[in-house]
C-alpha cells in the first residue's frame, strides 16, 4: 500500500529495526526488490539498539503519559481503557516531541 500510494519515492531510505517480521520468509527478497523497483534503500538497525530507533522513544513518551493516568480512571473506563487512553495520548503527541525522538537518535 505504501508503494502504490506513492509514500516511498526513489532515493528514500527506510530504516527498520531487527524485528523478525522485517526479514526472512516472504521478506527475504524485499531489500533487493525495493531498491531495484522503487529505488528505496532499506537499512537495518543493529540488534538490541533501541537508542537508534525513534519509535522506541515514542513508546517511551506513551508509557510515561499512560503512567500519569490515575488508576481509578482506568478502572472505571472498562476493559479497553488502556487502548483508549493510548489512542488519545498518541493523537496529542506533538511534532516537536517526534522531532525530539529523532534528535535523541542522532538522525537530526
Amino acid at each position: 500500500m505504501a508503494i502504490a500510494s506513492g509514500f516511498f519515492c526513489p532515493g528514500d531510505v527506510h530504516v527498520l529495526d531487527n524485528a523478525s517480521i522485517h526479514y526472512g520468509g516472504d521478506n527475504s527478497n524485499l531489500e533487493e526488490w525495493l531498491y531495484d523497483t522503487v529505488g528505496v534503500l532499506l537499512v537495518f538497525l543493529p540488534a538490541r539498539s533501541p537508542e537508534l530507533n525513534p519509535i522506541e522513544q515514542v513508546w517511551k513518551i506513551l508509557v510515561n503519559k499512560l503512567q500519569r493516568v490515575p488508576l481509578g480512571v482506568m478502572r472505571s473506563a472498562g476493559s479497553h481503557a488502556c487502548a483508549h487512553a493510548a489512542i488519545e495520548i498518541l493523537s496529542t503527541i506533538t511534532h516537536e516531541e517526534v522531532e525530539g525522538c529523532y534528535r535523541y537518535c542522532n538522525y537530526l
Side-chain angles (χ1 to χ4, degrees):
M1 184 160 150
I3 295 168
S5 70
F7 181 80
F8 288 124
C9 298
D12 282 354
V13 176
H14 189 64
V15 179
L16 298 171
D17 62 16
N18 230 348
S20 60
I21 194 168
H22 295 147
Y23 58 89
D26 291 339
N27 292 333
S28 61
N29 297 320
L30 182 61
E31 185 175 4
E32 185 177 332
W33 182 85
L34 267 177
Y35 189 77
D36 291 344
T37 307
V38 188
V40 173
L41 177 66
L42 284 183
V43 175
F44 291 91
L45 294 174
R48 296 179 214 42
S49 57
E51 72 281 358
L52 299 176
N53 190 346
I55 195 64
E56 296 295 337
Q57 304 311 311
V58 172
W59 295 135
K60 193 176 193 179
I61 291 170
L62 173 63
V63 168
N64 184 282
K65 291 184 178 190
L66 274 173
Q67 289 173 336
R68 295 183 197 162
V69 178
L71 187 56
V73 171
M74 294 292 264
R75 285 185 176 150
S76 67
S79 61
H80 299 291
C82 187
H84 292 294
I87 290 168
E88 187 174 325
I89 290 167
L90 289 171
S91 70
T92 64
I93 291 178
T94 66
H95 290 281
E96 290 78 17
E97 287 174 302
V98 173
E99 182 179 320
C101 295
Y102 279 85
R103 287 193 187 286
Y104 179 87
C105 297
N106 293 315
Y107 286 110
L108 298 176

